[in-house]
Amino acid sequence: MVRSLEQITMRKVYLRILPFAALTYFFCYLDRINVGFAALTMNKEIGLDAAIYGMAAGAFFWGYVLFEVPSNIILEKVGARIWIARIMITWGLISGATAFATGPYSFMAIRFLLGLAEAGLFPGFVLYFTYWFPDQYRARINSGFTLALPIAVASGAPISTALLGLDGMWGLKGWQLMYVLEAIPTVLIGVAVFFYLTDRPEKAHWLSSEERGWLRNRIAGEQKRIEAQHGVGILRSFWDPKVMLLSLNYIGIVTASLGMLLFLPTIVKELGISNMQVGWVTMIPYTCGAIAMVFCGWLSDRIGERRWTLFWTCLISAAGLIIAEATGISREGLGFPYAPGIWTSAQIEGWEAVTDAVHRAGGRIMSQLWHMGRLAHPSFLGGARAISASATVVAGAAFTYEGKQPQEYARALEISEIPRLLDDYRAAAENALKAGFDGVEVHAGNGYLLDQFLRDSSNLRTDAYGGSIENRIRLLREVTAAVIEVAGAGRTAVRFSPNGAILGVNDSDPHALFSAAGKAVSELGIAFLEIREPPPAEVLSNAAAGALRTAAEVPPVAPAIRAAFKGTLVLNSDYDQARAEATLESGEADAISFGRGFIANPDLPRRLRENIPLSALDPKTLYTNDAEGYSNYPYAPEAARA
């Protein structure tokens, strides 16, 4: 294959610039992360508690903020070769000097000076890349450059913790030795930068005259088009709305990533493992991040799109843990138009694309295993009757592909069929793991099959699965145990909706029932229990459909479950920031989950953090088969803070 002039030129530029730039950024972040690992032993020896350490470590960014813009202006004037060499040499020397901090004030002063010295390296290289790479190549070059960050953390974590173990060498503590040894390569590379980097394409002796001319003309042409369309100026750039929006976005990214960078080692250390094991555990999320960076940069350049790539990766990272709601475990268990399932190879393949996207963005995702029981209309089952705890019917109509149809009587599940049902749950859990889910949640609420067995308004049985509370929770216990056999207790959760009538099921003594159910799943050691309990003021809309009473008439059940369940408890339903914080502060729950709120507010973490009013959900767009109502809700405007 004959390569074009563009391909030949850009290949040379990539190979000349990218590896060396990434190497400098690798040591930049190696020097940044070492403070987090040094803290494992340094804090006690020089008298730092967590608050003082956080403030002193953060002094780095005060120096960085003060000198970052001036540093880049100087780089533009004197050239990248001289200025980046200066940055690396001075920051290497100051980083090594951290080994000789004797207390909070000296540590803080050194961190401030380190920020001054390093300011401008990252944006300086980003600016430098604009001298060499046309616009269509910049996502890949920037992702390749920043790839050094997760690699530095992933490899630097075990390196730094290994150096901590060399306590006493040369008369230094392990943390002092780590600072000195990791600073030396930075200084040496800074010297190499002076001789290796080329400031501009016209000075590139390693390109032919034809290659230099093509690259110079391509970059100059793009710059002229930008100047003609937007104009260029320092002050104008500061106030450009897009620059301000991206700056705000980057603040969120950096706040989250640096918080983890500075404190992750000490958090992991609390698991009771050795310093070396802390290093190995810490490298896991950054290894995943390295893979995601390469893929997202390639994808963005490939499709020529920037905004939505940024949007989805930030949204998924913000969500952190996503529960893929209501995924049918079998043909028998699914009776809703266009709802997802997980019993066929095609479904597994479809879910793989979803889980891959979540993982590339640094999130986690669980599959909620769902059997609708009597709510599955016969039109979905080839005319067969749905199964339930007893031969009952829920009032109202079912949604089908042919429109609304009257609900029909279900048949009681035979005891002889229960092993087959448990196998369906096992298979669904196995398929979920094959599809890349990080865990599974057993849906035992909202009036579906397991809830139909739990509640005495729908469970009219007289055998081992009906009557007493102990009998009615038997199937829940067996299903949860079956799922744990496949996924493990640490990756299995359960969901209840105990308060009031829902989809025609209710119970005469919900506090006793769900306390026993909570105790049963607690004994199985599940990862967490999620409870959907609307606030007392809410009257459930389906209360007229065979309800015994509404949520407003039932005292909260979650406190009774809290007393019986010894694991992590997650509450859900209609939370805003104030109610969520009050619930957590009171100890009623360990976490709050958001469902409808996240659909209507793709920037929900920011809205909660900045006290921005939440967008209202449009109920008409729920449970439809297109994008409206799921991906078309807007971000809050910048000046939306309440």
Side-chain angles (χ1 to χ4, degrees), residues 232-261:
V232 176
I234 293 178
L235 292 179
R236 184 170 183 170
S237 297
F238 272 116
W239 299 109
D240 185 281
K242 291 182 179 179
V243 172
M244 296 180 71
L245 180 61
L246 289 171
S247 297
L248 181 64
N249 175 261
Y250 193 60
I251 287 173
I253 294 172
V254 171
T255 299
S257 64
L258 288 175
M260 190 167 76
L261 194 72

mmCIF file of all heavy atoms in Angstrom, residues 232-261:
data_model
loop_
_atom_site.group_PDB
_atom_site.id
_atom_site.type_symbol
_atom_site.label_atom_id
_atom_site.label_comp_id
_atom_site.label_asym_id
_atom_site.label_seq_id
_atom_site.Cartn_x
_atom_site.Cartn_y
_atom_site.Cartn_z
ATOM 1 N N VAL A 232 -9.542 35.690 17.856
ATOM 2 C CA VAL A 232 -8.644 35.109 18.846
ATOM 3 C C VAL A 232 -8.097 36.207 19.743
ATOM 4 O O VAL A 232 -7.714 37.273 19.260
ATOM 5 C CB VAL A 232 -7.473 34.367 18.159
ATOM 6 C CG1 VAL A 232 -6.490 33.855 19.206
ATOM 7 C CG2 VAL A 232 -7.990 33.209 17.316
ATOM 8 N N GLY A 233 -8.071 35.971 21.030
ATOM 9 C CA GLY A 233 -7.509 36.905 21.986
ATOM 10 C C GLY A 233 -7.551 36.301 23.370
ATOM 11 O O GLY A 233 -8.444 35.510 23.676
ATOM 12 N N ILE A 234 -6.601 36.677 24.215
ATOM 13 C CA ILE A 234 -6.511 36.066 25.539
ATOM 14 C C ILE A 234 -7.746 36.378 26.368
ATOM 15 O O ILE A 234 -8.390 35.486 26.921
ATOM 16 C CB ILE A 234 -5.238 36.548 26.256
ATOM 17 C CG1 ILE A 234 -3.993 36.013 25.541
ATOM 18 C CG2 ILE A 234 -5.242 36.073 27.712
ATOM 19 C CD1 ILE A 234 -2.691 36.487 26.144
ATOM 20 N N LEU A 235 -8.112 37.669 26.466
ATOM 21 C CA LEU A 235 -9.272 38.039 27.276
ATOM 22 C C LEU A 235 -10.551 37.454 26.698
ATOM 23 O O LEU A 235 -11.428 36.991 27.431
ATOM 24 C CB LEU A 235 -9.372 39.559 27.374
ATOM 25 C CG LEU A 235 -8.256 40.238 28.168
ATOM 26 C CD1 LEU A 235 -8.447 41.752 28.168
ATOM 27 C CD2 LEU A 235 -8.229 39.706 29.606
ATOM 28 N N ARG A 236 -10.662 37.460 25.389
ATOM 29 C CA ARG A 236 -11.853 36.905 24.754
ATOM 30 C C ARG A 236 -11.968 35.414 25.025
ATOM 31 O O ARG A 236 -13.062 34.884 25.223
ATOM 32 C CB ARG A 236 -11.808 37.176 23.256
ATOM 33 C CG ARG A 236 -13.063 36.711 22.520
ATOM 34 C CD ARG A 236 -13.075 37.217 21.108
ATOM 35 N NE ARG A 236 -14.310 36.831 20.429
ATOM 36 C CZ ARG A 236 -14.680 37.281 19.249
ATOM 37 N NH1 ARG A 236 -13.924 38.158 18.613
ATOM 38 N NH2 ARG A 236 -15.809 36.876 18.696
ATOM 39 N N SER A 237 -10.841 34.736 25.052
ATOM 40 C CA SER A 237 -10.853 33.296 25.329
ATOM 41 C C SER A 237 -11.343 33.009 26.738
ATOM 42 O O SER A 237 -12.060 32.035 26.971
ATOM 43 C CB SER A 237 -9.450 32.715 25.139
ATOM 44 O OG SER A 237 -9.025 32.858 23.805
ATOM 45 N N PHE A 238 -10.971 33.869 27.693
ATOM 46 C CA PHE A 238 -11.396 33.653 29.076
ATOM 47 C C PHE A 238 -12.917 33.678 29.203
ATOM 48 O O PHE A 238 -13.495 32.921 29.980
ATOM 49 C CB PHE A 238 -10.806 34.736 29.989
ATOM 50 C CG PHE A 238 -9.451 34.392 30.522
ATOM 51 C CD1 PHE A 238 -8.342 35.140 30.185
ATOM 52 C CD2 PHE A 238 -9.284 33.296 31.360
ATOM 53 C CE1 PHE A 238 -7.093 34.826 30.677
ATOM 54 C CE2 PHE A 238 -8.035 32.975 31.864
ATOM 55 C CZ PHE A 238 -6.935 33.745 31.520
ATOM 56 N N TRP A 239 -13.568 34.554 28.453
ATOM 57 C CA TRP A 239 -15.012 34.746 28.617
ATOM 58 C C TRP A 239 -15.840 34.017 27.571
ATOM 59 O O TRP A 239 -17.060 34.170 27.555
ATOM 60 C CB TRP A 239 -15.333 36.246 28.587
ATOM 61 C CG TRP A 239 -14.657 36.980 29.697
ATOM 62 C CD1 TRP A 239 -13.621 37.853 29.590
ATOM 63 C CD2 TRP A 239 -14.947 36.871 31.096
ATOM 64 N NE1 TRP A 239 -13.241 38.308 30.829
ATOM 65 C CE2 TRP A 239 -14.041 37.721 31.780
ATOM 66 C CE3 TRP A 239 -15.879 36.152 31.844
ATOM 67 C CZ2 TRP A 239 -14.043 37.864 33.155
ATOM 68 C CZ3 TRP A 239 -15.888 36.293 33.215
ATOM 69 C CH2 TRP A 239 -14.980 37.141 33.852
ATOM 70 N N ASP A 240 -15.193 33.240 26.728
ATOM 71 C CA ASP A 240 -15.931 32.458 25.740
ATOM 72 C C ASP A 240 -16.832 31.448 26.464
ATOM 73 O O ASP A 240 -16.367 30.698 27.322
ATOM 74 C CB ASP A 240 -14.947 31.719 24.821
ATOM 75 C CG ASP A 240 -15.676 30.997 23.703
ATOM 76 O OD1 ASP A 240 -16.225 29.909 23.973
ATOM 77 O OD2 ASP A 240 -15.686 31.497 22.574
ATOM 78 N N PRO A 241 -18.139 31.416 26.171
ATOM 79 C CA PRO A 241 -19.049 30.510 26.889
ATOM 80 C C PRO A 241 -18.631 29.046 26.816
ATOM 81 O O PRO A 241 -18.787 28.303 27.793
ATOM 82 C CB PRO A 241 -20.398 30.740 26.194
ATOM 83 C CG PRO A 241 -20.290 32.116 25.607
ATOM 84 C CD PRO A 241 -18.859 32.269 25.212
ATOM 85 N N LYS A 242 -18.108 28.624 25.662
ATOM 86 C CA LYS A 242 -17.696 27.224 25.533
ATOM 87 C C LYS A 242 -16.490 26.926 26.421
ATOM 88 O O LYS A 242 -16.411 25.858 27.031
ATOM 89 C CB LYS A 242 -17.376 26.905 24.069
ATOM 90 C CG LYS A 242 -18.598 26.897 23.158
ATOM 91 C CD LYS A 242 -18.227 26.531 21.737
ATOM 92 C CE LYS A 242 -19.463 26.508 20.845
ATOM 93 N NZ LYS A 242 -19.122 26.178 19.444
ATOM 94 N N VAL A 243 -15.565 27.881 26.477
ATOM 95 C CA VAL A 243 -14.399 27.696 27.340
ATOM 96 C C VAL A 243 -14.834 27.606 28.796
ATOM 97 O O VAL A 243 -14.362 26.747 29.560
ATOM 98 C CB VAL A 243 -13.387 28.845 27.144
ATOM 99 C CG1 VAL A 243 -12.271 28.765 28.180
ATOM 100 C CG2 VAL A 243 -12.802 28.796 25.742
ATOM 101 N N MET A 244 -15.760 28.469 29.198
ATOM 102 C CA MET A 244 -16.224 28.459 30.581
ATOM 103 C C MET A 244 -16.975 27.169 30.906
ATOM 104 O O MET A 244 -16.810 26.594 31.989
ATOM 105 C CB MET A 244 -17.121 29.679 30.835
ATOM 106 C CG MET A 244 -16.391 31.013 30.694
ATOM 107 S SD MET A 244 -17.448 32.437 31.000
ATOM 108 C CE MET A 244 -17.675 32.294 32.757
ATOM 109 N N LEU A 245 -17.794 26.699 29.970
ATOM 110 C CA LEU A 245 -18.537 25.458 30.190
ATOM 111 C C LEU A 245 -17.589 24.269 30.309
ATOM 112 O O LEU A 245 -17.726 23.434 31.216
ATOM 113 C CB LEU A 245 -19.529 25.231 29.046
ATOM 114 C CG LEU A 245 -20.379 23.954 29.136
ATOM 115 C CD1 LEU A 245 -21.233 23.972 30.400
ATOM 116 C CD2 LEU A 245 -21.263 23.826 27.904
ATOM 117 N N LEU A 246 -16.607 24.201 29.412
ATOM 118 C CA LEU A 246 -15.638 23.104 29.474
ATOM 119 C C LEU A 246 -14.778 23.204 30.725
ATOM 120 O O LEU A 246 -14.389 22.180 31.296
ATOM 121 C CB LEU A 246 -14.758 23.108 28.215
ATOM 122 C CG LEU A 246 -15.459 22.672 26.924
ATOM 123 C CD1 LEU A 246 -14.566 22.926 25.724
ATOM 124 C CD2 LEU A 246 -15.831 21.190 26.989
ATOM 125 N N SER A 247 -14.492 24.434 31.157
ATOM 126 C CA SER A 247 -13.714 24.605 32.389
ATOM 127 C C SER A 247 -14.486 24.079 33.591
ATOM 128 O O SER A 247 -13.927 23.403 34.461
ATOM 129 C CB SER A 247 -13.373 26.087 32.597
ATOM 130 O OG SER A 247 -12.558 26.566 31.548
ATOM 131 N N LEU A 248 -15.788 24.383 33.633
ATOM 132 C CA LEU A 248 -16.621 23.883 34.721
ATOM 133 C C LEU A 248 -16.677 22.361 34.694
ATOM 134 O O LEU A 248 -16.585 21.699 35.741
ATOM 135 C CB LEU A 248 -18.029 24.467 34.612
ATOM 136 C CG LEU A 248 -19.022 24.040 35.701
ATOM 137 C CD1 LEU A 248 -18.567 24.553 37.062
ATOM 138 C CD2 LEU A 248 -20.415 24.575 35.383
ATOM 139 N N ASN A 249 -16.823 21.811 33.492
ATOM 140 C CA ASN A 249 -16.835 20.354 33.350
ATOM 141 C C ASN A 249 -15.523 19.753 33.845
ATOM 142 O O ASN A 249 -15.514 18.740 34.553
ATOM 143 C CB ASN A 249 -17.078 19.989 31.883
ATOM 144 C CG ASN A 249 -16.983 18.508 31.616
ATOM 145 O OD1 ASN A 249 -15.962 18.021 31.149
ATOM 146 N ND2 ASN A 249 -18.052 17.788 31.897
ATOM 147 N N TYR A 250 -14.419 20.412 33.499
ATOM 148 C CA TYR A 250 -13.106 19.879 33.883
ATOM 149 C C TYR A 250 -12.890 19.989 35.395
ATOM 150 O O TYR A 250 -12.235 19.135 35.992
ATOM 151 C CB TYR A 250 -12.009 20.630 33.129
ATOM 152 C CG TYR A 250 -10.659 19.962 33.226
ATOM 153 C CD1 TYR A 250 -10.473 18.664 32.746
ATOM 154 C CD2 TYR A 250 -9.569 20.610 33.793
ATOM 155 C CE1 TYR A 250 -9.242 18.044 32.834
ATOM 156 C CE2 TYR A 250 -8.339 19.999 33.879
ATOM 157 C CZ TYR A 250 -8.179 18.714 33.396
ATOM 158 O OH TYR A 250 -6.964 18.096 33.493
ATOM 159 N N ILE A 251 -13.459 21.038 36.009
ATOM 160 C CA ILE A 251 -13.369 21.146 37.467
ATOM 161 C C ILE A 251 -14.000 19.928 38.119
ATOM 162 O O ILE A 251 -13.460 19.350 39.066
ATOM 163 C CB ILE A 251 -14.050 22.441 37.958
ATOM 164 C CG1 ILE A 251 -13.193 23.661 37.610
ATOM 165 C CG2 ILE A 251 -14.289 22.393 39.465
ATOM 166 C CD1 ILE A 251 -13.871 24.984 37.897
ATOM 167 N N GLY A 252 -15.171 19.531 37.616
ATOM 168 C CA GLY A 252 -15.834 18.345 38.164
ATOM 169 C C GLY A 252 -15.005 17.090 37.985
ATOM 170 O O GLY A 252 -14.868 16.270 38.905
ATOM 171 N N ILE A 253 -14.429 16.939 36.793
ATOM 172 C CA ILE A 253 -13.610 15.755 36.517
ATOM 173 C C ILE A 253 -12.395 15.715 37.441
ATOM 174 O O ILE A 253 -12.084 14.694 38.062
ATOM 175 C CB ILE A 253 -13.167 15.742 35.042
ATOM 176 C CG1 ILE A 253 -14.384 15.565 34.120
ATOM 177 C CG2 ILE A 253 -12.145 14.633 34.792
ATOM 178 C CD1 ILE A 253 -14.066 15.726 32.652
ATOM 179 N N VAL A 254 -11.701 16.847 37.524
ATOM 180 C CA VAL A 254 -10.465 16.892 38.308
ATOM 181 C C VAL A 254 -10.752 16.757 39.802
ATOM 182 O O VAL A 254 -9.997 16.091 40.530
ATOM 183 C CB VAL A 254 -9.697 18.201 38.013
ATOM 184 C CG1 VAL A 254 -8.532 18.373 38.972
ATOM 185 C CG2 VAL A 254 -9.191 18.186 36.579
ATOM 186 N N THR A 255 -11.842 17.368 40.274
ATOM 187 C CA THR A 255 -12.182 17.254 41.693
ATOM 188 C C THR A 255 -12.372 15.801 42.082
ATOM 189 O O THR A 255 -11.860 15.335 43.114
ATOM 190 C CB THR A 255 -13.456 18.048 42.001
ATOM 191 O OG1 THR A 255 -13.231 19.429 41.688
ATOM 192 C CG2 THR A 255 -13.835 17.929 43.465
ATOM 193 N N ALA A 256 -13.106 15.064 41.247
ATOM 194 C CA ALA A 256 -13.346 13.651 41.542
ATOM 195 C C ALA A 256 -12.066 12.831 41.435
ATOM 196 O O ALA A 256 -11.752 12.014 42.313
ATOM 197 C CB ALA A 256 -14.405 13.095 40.596
ATOM 198 N N SER A 257 -11.301 13.056 40.367
ATOM 199 C CA SER A 257 -10.120 12.218 40.142
ATOM 200 C C SER A 257 -9.016 12.500 41.153
ATOM 201 O O SER A 257 -8.355 11.571 41.633
ATOM 202 C CB SER A 257 -9.589 12.421 38.710
ATOM 203 O OG SER A 257 -9.144 13.752 38.522
ATOM 204 N N LEU A 258 -8.830 13.787 41.519
ATOM 205 C CA LEU A 258 -7.764 14.101 42.473
ATOM 206 C C LEU A 258 -8.148 13.702 43.890
ATOM 207 O O LEU A 258 -7.281 13.329 44.685
ATOM 208 C CB LEU A 258 -7.422 15.584 42.409
ATOM 209 C CG LEU A 258 -6.677 16.017 41.137
ATOM 210 C CD1 LEU A 258 -6.482 17.510 41.114
ATOM 211 C CD2 LEU A 258 -5.337 15.295 41.009
ATOM 212 N N GLY A 259 -9.430 13.778 44.197
ATOM 213 C CA GLY A 259 -9.854 13.272 45.503
ATOM 214 C C GLY A 259 -9.508 11.804 45.649
ATOM 215 O O GLY A 259 -9.025 11.352 46.697
ATOM 216 N N MET A 260 -9.765 11.040 44.591
ATOM 217 C CA MET A 260 -9.425 9.626 44.622
ATOM 218 C C MET A 260 -7.907 9.438 44.634
ATOM 219 O O MET A 260 -7.380 8.573 45.342
ATOM 220 C CB MET A 260 -10.033 8.910 43.412
ATOM 221 C CG MET A 260 -9.920 7.397 43.488
ATOM 222 S SD MET A 260 -10.941 6.530 42.275
ATOM 223 C CE MET A 260 -9.988 6.790 40.793
ATOM 224 N N LEU A 261 -7.202 10.275 43.864
ATOM 225 C CA LEU A 261 -5.752 10.139 43.770
ATOM 226 C C LEU A 261 -5.076 10.357 45.119
ATOM 227 O O LEU A 261 -4.172 9.605 45.514
ATOM 228 C CB LEU A 261 -5.222 11.155 42.752
ATOM 229 C CG LEU A 261 -3.793 10.969 42.262
ATOM 230 C CD1 LEU A 261 -3.714 9.776 41.333
ATOM 231 C CD2 LEU A 261 -3.332 12.224 41.529
#
